[in-house]
Amino acid sequence: MIDLKLLQKDFQGVSDKLVRKGVSVELLDSLKKKSEELKTAKVDYETLQAAQNTMSKEFGIYKKEGKDVSELKARVDANKIKITEALEVQRIKQEELESLAMSIPNIPDDDVPDGEDENDNIEIRKVLTPREFNFTPKEHWELAEQNGWIDFERGVKLATSRFSVSFGMGAKLERALINFMLNFNSKRGFEEVSVPSIVNRAALEGTGQLPKFEDDLYKIEDQELFLIPTAEVPVTNLFQDEILSPNQLPIKLTAYTSCFRKEAGAAGRDTRGMIRQHQFHKVELVSITKPEDSDKIFDEMVQTASDLLSALELPHRLVNLCSGDLGFGAAKTVDLEVWLPGQATYREISSVSNTREFQARRAKIRFKDENKNSFVHTLNGSSLAVGRTMVAIMENFQNEDGSITIPKVLESYIN
RNA sequence: GGACAGCUGGCCGAGUGGUCGAAGGCGCACGCCUGGAACGCGUGUAUAGGGCAACCUAUCUAGGGUUCGAAUCCCUAGCUGUCCA
């Protein structure tokens, strides 16, 4: 959630920044008005409540002294009606403000490049050179089927389109990757954690998936519970509504989970293969930091994901997302895109974001900062999306006969 | 699935309608004592919001109700524990 006080204080500055992310000034203006209205309503209510409390105390004294209370009771009753009204006004204002504020995205950092969409993203650097093929490299779905690693039809049979099944070496490789990634991240100081795949509404509001993106989530029928779209949700929300002590920070965690996404609005995109599935495996990094440390840890997380790809000998590049391509909660995002020779293009395999205090404010994650409470910064990043890593291995490590060499670092995990 | 019990501040724990935001203890912080420490003694020690000073509002798992007034009574939900199937 954006800082409403900041919006009051520096409306121009905040709106200038949010316009870059496609938020209209009118929306921000009404947000500012609503927040002022709520304040007034609150003062009104609290004034009446204070009077009520005073009179109630008098009431007790009257009773003790045996005085007549009928006149006082009449006054109190009259005031009570006013309180009920004032409370209702406040409740409505509160709701209006919240629904508005919760749908405003995070303010992008100043160094985020301007732009509309992915075409305006800025490449930071390339890592490793793609290998030269002396034959025409195949795309992963062909290799997956040829090697018997992945069965797309049976995934559809069990669920619906965009589900798949891994067999034999495909399944083994998947498991090997998960283990390898978790171990790798542990060595980099991220503590392993295992979390639920189902979370409640509050958790999703905390990290920003709700209320705006309910259509992208799988909801459990008849319950206010959802399948997680990323481990970022349960892991970040571990600390929801907590006041951490400064010496606990930074908290650096890594988790493996399945992720579930409806992919609403992605019809027709990546329909072949396993680039865009409804269920996929992912190893995630999450950090909770003091504000002054978040830039440093952001770089660490990007580096960890990049090193992971390098360890797997996968050529990739780092991309700084432009303002228009930035996700809802992100102040800054660096994507890692892996080289796919079959498609002769770089495709996203990891996304590292600093949400600064956007999620912390929504999820109420704070720390004691010299006697006063401050919001922490929260960061998240994939390291890595397992399915897409499989895709990258298949395409980059394919041989002319369609067989696939296993990357060296994974050998010990497979045997 | 059924029955019962409980859920109070960082922790333990008192409190069954009226200065209770909450006794007491532990812990923690500071001070005294000490050569230094322990012990002892003293003082302080929840969170959020508004004015941003006095002060005011809210919070004793959550939500609702009764009442002039609720940690205390009633209802619902969640969690924990015990027992029965």
Side-chain angles (χ1 to χ4, degrees), chain A residues 329-358:
Chain A
K332 179 190 175 72
T333 297
V334 167
D335 270 8
L336 280 83
E337 299 181 342
V338 70
W339 174 253
L340 297 185
Q343 302 180 21
T345 182
Y346 285 97
R347 289 300 304 259
E348 179 193 336
I349 193 166
S350 168
S351 194
V352 181
S353 296
N354 188 348
T355 79
R356 304 224 175 259
E357 52 177 62
F358 185 80

Side-chain angles (χ1 to χ4, degrees), chain A residues 177-386:
Chain A
L177 278 170
I178 292 163
N179 281 330
F180 171 65
M181 290 170 184
L182 285 171
N183 283 342
F184 191 94
N185 293 339
S186 292
K187 281 182 204 136
R188 295 295 179 98
F190 292 85
E191 190 191 350
E192 200 171 325
V193 56
S194 177
V195 290
S197 293
I198 292 177
V199 294
N200 57 31
R201 185 170 284 275
L204 287 154
E205 283 173 351
T207 33
Q209 284 76 18
L210 288 179
K212 244 195 147 174
F213 305 106
E214 187 153 350
D215 289 348
D216 295 329
L217 299 170
Y218 284 103
K219 188 175 179 189
I220 312 287
E221 203 176 356
D222 297 333
Q223 281 183 290
E224 285 296 290
L225 294 172
F226 302 81
L227 296 182
I228 55 169
T230 159
E232 170 197 341
V233 179
V235 177
T236 307
N237 279 289
L238 286 171
F239 307 98
Q240 183 196 104
D241 211 9
E242 288 190 27
I243 297 168
L244 303 162
S245 97
N247 54 34
Q248 283 178 271
L249 301 175
I251 296 169
K252 294 160 69 183
L253 298 170
T254 184
Y256 152 72
T257 67
S258 286
C259 301
F260 304 89
R261 299 185 185 176
K262 275 194 184 167
E263 296 294 352
R269 291 178 70 192
D270 304 312
T271 44
R272 287 201 79 171
M274 53 187 317
I275 291 287
R276 201 173 293 276
Q277 298 268 291
H278 287 310
Q279 176 178 359
F280 58 95
H281 304 289
K282 185 154 64 74
V283 174
E284 185 80 359
L285 300 173
V286 168
S287 301
I288 314 276
T289 76
K290 292 182 194 171
E292 63 266 29
D293 296 335
S294 74
D295 285 319
K296 191 188 86 196
I297 287 179
F298 179 81
D299 292 341
E300 253 178 56
M301 289 167 72
V302 171
Q303 196 57 48
T304 300
S306 173
D307 289 347
L308 203 41
L309 283 167
S310 298
L312 292 163
E313 302 166 65
L314 292 170
H316 58 281
R317 63 173 191 166
L318 276 60
V319 171
N320 192 8
L321 294 201
C322 74
S323 57
D325 202 27
L326 222 47
F328 181 75
K332 179 190 175 72
T333 297
V334 167
D335 270 8
L336 280 83
E337 299 181 342
V338 70
W339 174 253
L340 297 185
Q343 302 180 21
T345 182
Y346 285 97
R347 289 300 304 259
E348 179 193 336
I349 193 166
S350 168
S351 194
V352 181
S353 296
N354 188 348
T355 79
R356 304 224 175 259
E357 52 177 62
F358 185 80
Q359 290 180 332
R361 180 171 276 115
R362 292 168 80 106
K364 297 194 180 65
I365 308 174
R366 290 159 295 181
F367 74 105
K368 266 239 173 327
D369 186 11
E370 291 166 10
N371 289 327
K372 80 177 206 298
N373 297 318
S374 304
F375 289 109
V376 297
H377 280 194
T378 66
L379 305 93
N380 62 81
S382 22
S383 84
L384 302 158
V386 177

Side-chain angles (χ1 to χ4, degrees), chain A residues 67-78:
Chain A
K67 285 208 224 156
D68 177 35
V69 293
S70 56
E71 185 270 342
L72 182 60
K73 183 159 168 26
R75 271 197 291 148
V76 154
D77 285 342

Side-chain angles (χ1 to χ4, degrees), chain A residues 24-60:
Chain A
S24 77
V25 182
E26 291 74 38
L27 192 63
L28 291 168
D29 200 46
S30 69
L31 183 66
K32 187 182 168 211
K33 268 204 201 98
K34 282 272 177 294
S35 121
E36 279 158 5
E37 282 172 23
L38 174 63
K39 201 167 149 180
T40 313
K42 263 193 170 155
V43 171
D44 288 349
Y45 166 71
E46 283 177 11
T47 309
L48 290 167
Q49 188 61 49
Q52 185 78 357
N53 289 343
T54 311
M55 285 190 277
S56 287
K57 272 181 194 157
E58 274 178 50
F59 204 99

Side-chain angles (χ1 to χ4, degrees), chain A residues 133-139 142 341-342 398-400:
Chain A
F133 286 86
N134 50 17
F135 58 92
T136 309
K138 297 189 179 94
E139 299 213 40
E142 214 181 322
Q398 61 180 296
N399 304 309
E400 189 158 11

